[in-house]
Amino acid sequence: YNLNTLIQSKVNPINPKRKHIINSLDKDHTYTIQVGDKVMNTTNKYDVPLANETTIDEFGFEHVKKTDVFNGNFGVVKDIDDGFITIDFVGIGEVIFDAKDSKSLWLGYACTISKSQGSGFAYTIVTIDSSAYIMLNAELLYTGITRAKKRCALIGENKAIRQAIKKRETKTKQTYLGYLLMEN
């Protein structure tokens, strides 16, 4: 939350004259989403209307094409108008969210490694320290580093990075491969 609001203040400062919505994580943490903000969807949304995409059926009726937007999808807010938010999601295109569903939108400038799974970014900054020592493992470090498509900056305590490299969470893989090979 703190990183997201700090980054937002630098790259897309809040301007009360621009169209915006205000969300809250809890009673002490509110955040503003406005046009130009990078956002992350935090729940699965099914049958979300695609902006400016329609089809005509055999009877001549126009239908809006729909798509699914999943937890962890990132996008940029293009417009906020009349209770609707237009967001250009990476790999999906522009969709129209009902503003009442905006609670599932968080600022997406910074996120946890867990929230970034399945996503890719041109550049990432991965931070590792000993504060969450229970979570430090090779799989977490690998996931964080491999989110970067071009370049990753790894910032951390040497001790924490060494611990993460040494610790493997997955001891054995739970697959049916052996069974299927024996069957054939």
Side-chain angles (χ1 to χ4, degrees):
Y1 168 82
N2 290 335
L3 274 174
N4 273 307
T5 54
L6 176 65
I7 295 168
Q8 179 191 44
S9 73
K10 304 296 181 195
V11 300
N12 194 26
I14 295 172
N15 180 345
K17 293 181 181 176
R18 272 197 275 173
K19 297 175 187 173
H20 63 277
I21 56 170
I22 298 173
N23 281 342
S24 62
L25 295 175
D26 55 42
K27 66 181 178 104
D28 298 321
H29 298 92
T30 62
Y31 57 98
T32 300
I33 295 176
Q34 61 188 358
V35 173
D37 275 328
K38 185 172 184 178
V39 294
M40 176 179 59
N41 184 50
T42 61
T43 60
N44 293 335
K45 302 282 185 194
Y46 302 101
D47 292 328
V48 179
L50 286 161
N52 305 316
E53 291 202 36
T54 59
T55 58
I56 307 292
D57 67 17
E58 65 271 16
F59 304 107
F61 293 106
E62 186 176 56
H63 298 277
V64 175
K65 286 186 182 180
K66 296 185 178 183
T67 190
D68 299 331
V69 180
F70 297 108
N71 180 10
N73 285 137
F74 286 85
V76 175
V77 177
K78 295 297 182 180
D79 191 26
I80 299 173
D81 198 24
D82 295 328
F84 295 98
I85 307 165
T86 303
I87 304 165
D88 187 5
F89 280 102
V90 177
I92 298 172
E94 288 190 10
V95 301
I96 301 171
F97 263 48
D98 192 316
K100 68 182 177 202
D101 292 332
S102 69
K103 296 283 187 226
S104 72
L105 298 174
W106 293 3
L107 291 173
Y109 298 106
C111 69
T112 64
I113 290 172
S114 176
K115 283 284 187 188
S116 72
Q117 287 186 36
S119 299
F121 310 93
Y123 303 95
T124 62
I125 301 170
V126 176
T127 60
I128 301 283
D129 67 10
S130 298
S131 65
Y133 65 92
I134 292 174
M135 294 179 59
L136 292 178
N137 60 58
E139 292 83 5
L140 181 76
L141 184 59
Y142 172 84
T143 301
I145 291 171
T146 58
R147 297 310 93 201
K149 293 179 181 176
K150 291 185 178 181
R151 187 164 288 163
C152 172
L154 177 60
I155 301 170
E157 299 171 340
N158 285 334
K159 178 183 174 184
I161 294 169
R162 281 195 301 274
Q163 179 182 344
I165 292 169
K166 288 180 187 176
K167 184 179 174 189
R168 302 261 182 211
E169 264 320 296
T170 308
K171 306 288 189 255
T172 58
K173 298 291 182 182
Q174 306 263 337
T175 72
Y176 290 101
L177 181 60
Y179 173 78
L180 293 172
L181 290 173
M182 290 177 66
E183 190 175 273
N184 290 329

